[in-house]
Structures are given as C-alpha cells and as structure tokens.
Amino acid sequence: MGGALLVCGTASDAGKSLVTAGLCRSLARRGVSVAPFKAQNMANNSAVTPSGAEIGRAQAMQAAACGIEPEAAMNPVLIKPAGDTSSQVLLMGKPFADATARSYQALKAKLEQPVLDALAALRERFDAVICEGAGSPAEINLRARDLANMGLARAADLPVLLVGDIDRGGVFASLVGTLAVLDADDQRHVAAFLINKFRGDATVLAPGLDMLYDLTGRRAIGVLPWREGLWLDAEDSLALEAPAPAPAPPVGRDTLDVAVLRLRWMSNFTDADALAAEPGVGVRFTRSPVDVERADLVVVPGTKATVADLERLRRDGLDVALARRAAAGAPILGICGGYQLLGRRIEDDVESRAGVVDGLGLLPVETVFAPEKLLRRVSGRSARFGDAPATGYEIRHGDPRPDDGAETLIDGEGCVTGNVIGTSWHGLLEGDAFRRALLAWVAAERGRDWRPGDVAFADVRERRLDVLGDLIDEHVDRDVLDTLLADGVPEGLPTLDLRRTACSAS
C-alpha cells in the first residue's frame, strides 16, 4: 500500500489546498505516482469528473498537479451550503442527503467507512496520497466524529503536517496551541510543522523555530515565502477577501472591466479565473449597482440557492441595475444559477421549495427544478461566436427551457436575447477560442481597442502549479517528507499536557 500524509491547517485559508497541490506537483515531477485526497470538503466550487461525479474544485486542481484525471474517491464527501442552515451532502460524487449542521453530525456514522474505503483504494493504486484536512484540527467540539482531520489520521494511521499562516500573525501560538488542545493519541500523529506566507528575512525567524522545537519536540520542516498571484481554483469565498491580482498589461490600447456579482450562495465563481488570465482584463466581485451599470461585462455566476439569491438581488436594487444595463444593450453573461435567475420564471419545488417565482425577465426562459441532479461534461460549438468550439460541465437541478425559436448559444444550449447571454455550462470560459471570441464581442460592443493574449489558459494553470511545486522543492525539507511517506507516524513524539499548566481559580 502506498504512503500517505495528511496536511492540516491551524485555521481555514491557512494554505492547506495550495500546499497539498504543491506537494503533489513536486512528487509528480520526481516520477512518483501520486493522488490527492480530501475526506470531507465544504465548498460550492466543484467540478465534474469524467465519470460524472461531483467533487471539490480544489481536488480537481490537485489532480491536475498530479497529472491525472480527477475521480470521486479524491473527495468522497462534499458538503454544498444551500442556505443559512442547510446543505446538500454528496457521497462519492452523488447527492446523498440534505442536512443541517446538527443533523450532519449524526450522518457522519454512515460516511466514515466510505471515506476510509476511498482512501484505501487510492493507496492501493498510487505510490503516495497527499491528504488535505478541513478547517482546523483544533475544533475540539467536533472531534468526536471527525472525518477529515485527526479522526482520519488515527483511523488511517497518517502522519500530519500542520500548516500555520504567519501573515495573520501569532503563528507560533497557533501551532503550539493547536497541538496542545489535542488529546495525547491525536498529538502522536502531528509529525512536523510548515510555516506559510512568510515575508521578510528568514534569519529573523530562526530563534522562533528553535523555540518551537523546544516547546513541542517537532521541527518546522519548511518556511514558504509569500508569493503574489497564487489564486488558483479557490475553495470558498474567503479567497475573495484578498486583493485580486492586477491584470497583465493590455495588448491593445484599452482594458476591459468585468464585474462579477457577488451572490450570497455563489458557486463556481472560479469560472471567472480564465477571464482574469487574459491581458488587459480586470475582474472584480461586487454588489454595487453602479459597478453593474458601468462595467464592460457583467457576469452573474452560479449559485447553490437560486431563489434566495434572486431575492437578495431585488432587495439590494441589483435587479434594477441589471434591467437598465440590458435596456442599454450592455453585455451580461449568466452562468448556471445566474442564467436561471435572468429568465422569466422559476419553478422550484426542490431546492428552495418556493414554488413558482418570477425571474428578472431578461431572457425568454423558464426554469423547472428536477429532483435528480444533472452532472456531466459537455462539448459543442457556438454559432453565436463564429462556430467557436466550446467545452464545459453541468452541475444543476434547474432545467432552463428557452421559448421556441429563441436564439441559443451552443448547439441548442443556453439562450441569447440582445446582449444578454445565458448558459448552464461551467468551465466554458476556460476554452481559449470561446473566451476570446466572447471578450472580442464585448470589446466591440463597448467600443474598446482590446485584443486577446496568446497564452492558453491551460498553460497558465500549469505554470501556476509549477510555481507551487517550486515552492516545495526550494523551501521544504523533501527528505523529511519522503521519510514520513515511507515510514508513517514517527515514534516517540512528546505530548503537551494542558492539565499540568492549567491555572486554578483562586
């Protein structure tokens, strides 16, 4: 059976996903057969595997780092929030149950064995499996039935690499504190530390690393420097809090401004990543009606709660801004749930159970929600954009039905009315020919002297993955990593005992 390692973080967004991808790319470049794994992922950014399974988009990106196709076993449990209190739970890529935060805890008993079976199957087929934790292992209120962090480490006997984000401050306290609140059997699995997002002179950090070892008996096996532009297939909207990378200089005289509506239950907002990779294209997420009216292109992205986000758009006046934009002939692109809410009517007895709801009325489309979720990869050609080839994937319960005779976008899919376009296809903008034809059309409609770049988006992704691999190769002790993969949990690691240092009330 192949070796495995679990990458945990002291907090969400500490860098687990990118560190995991970097480890995968580093190993793959050395000829190691490697696969990613995340037992339980909570994210509305997802991808469809070749077999029609839905997994977290971060795991699909990590599979690309390994040079392999994604599969359901890489993310056996996916939780997709669909409201303030409810989520859809997918098991091995298919809808399994709807759950609240409380009811999900009881559901975990049914999920544990499939999770362990998925990991074991990957370890049988690959030399190494790099597992990613979820949130923080220090969430001790959730430890009893943990599937993704120390529960997984103990059940599968995995060594744990604990990642801390020094850019947030307090990294030593975060690392020591996370270790200290774990019970002794959990602590035994925490084998080493990794410090992420360091700015400055590493020699200044050295005394702290020595003290970290003195306190815990564990080494920091690497310090990854801060790097701009490591924004790759983000897992959740936390990534949007960071400033977006500045666009590359334009090829023509002008730039294009793309405004993506920041929906509350936004899903697959990574669809906009390919736009941002084009020279002279700036992408920002916004809820400003002024931005909606002024941008060169407005994208209404996917959503896991179409009706709820439609209500919020109306409450915030964004429906009026979109209507004004459409009346002025300014380009609008709706994707999946965004396409559905641009239509005339939504009939939803599945997701929101709201029944019949009026849409924004910008496209002659009626959407009916079906109990079965459609999950598939798709391809075709777009007569609207010069017969450009188009590929993507569908993840939806809603079935948009354009009026008879309405113009479609791709071989009968989607809908076009004036300069308002809708499509159910995620990943469509990753296709270079389609994306560039779309942006050229936007530039012409807006009177901009903008021209596309000549670098394929697939190559942009590969370069970003290589940067992650380079960070691991240059700043992490690979010998220690190889030893952990080969030998598993080290023997004799000390335990921190909070009970010995706890203060008594006087």
Side-chain angles (χ1 to χ4, degrees), residues 412-438:
E413 193 283 327
C415 185
V416 180
T417 295
N419 283 349
V420 181
I421 296 174
T423 178
S424 294
W425 292 14
H426 293 294
L428 178 62
L429 299 174
E430 295 179 18
D432 300 323
F434 182 91
R435 179 184 67 256
R436 289 166 180 166
L438 171 77

Side-chain angles (χ1 to χ4, degrees), residues 462-480:
E462 282 297 303
R463 290 176 186 176
R464 291 178 179 176
L465 291 170
D466 278 333
V467 169
L468 298 179
D470 292 343
L471 286 172
I472 297 299
D473 289 345
E474 295 167 12
H475 300 283
V476 175
D477 190 329
R478 295 194 318 189
D479 290 338
V480 174

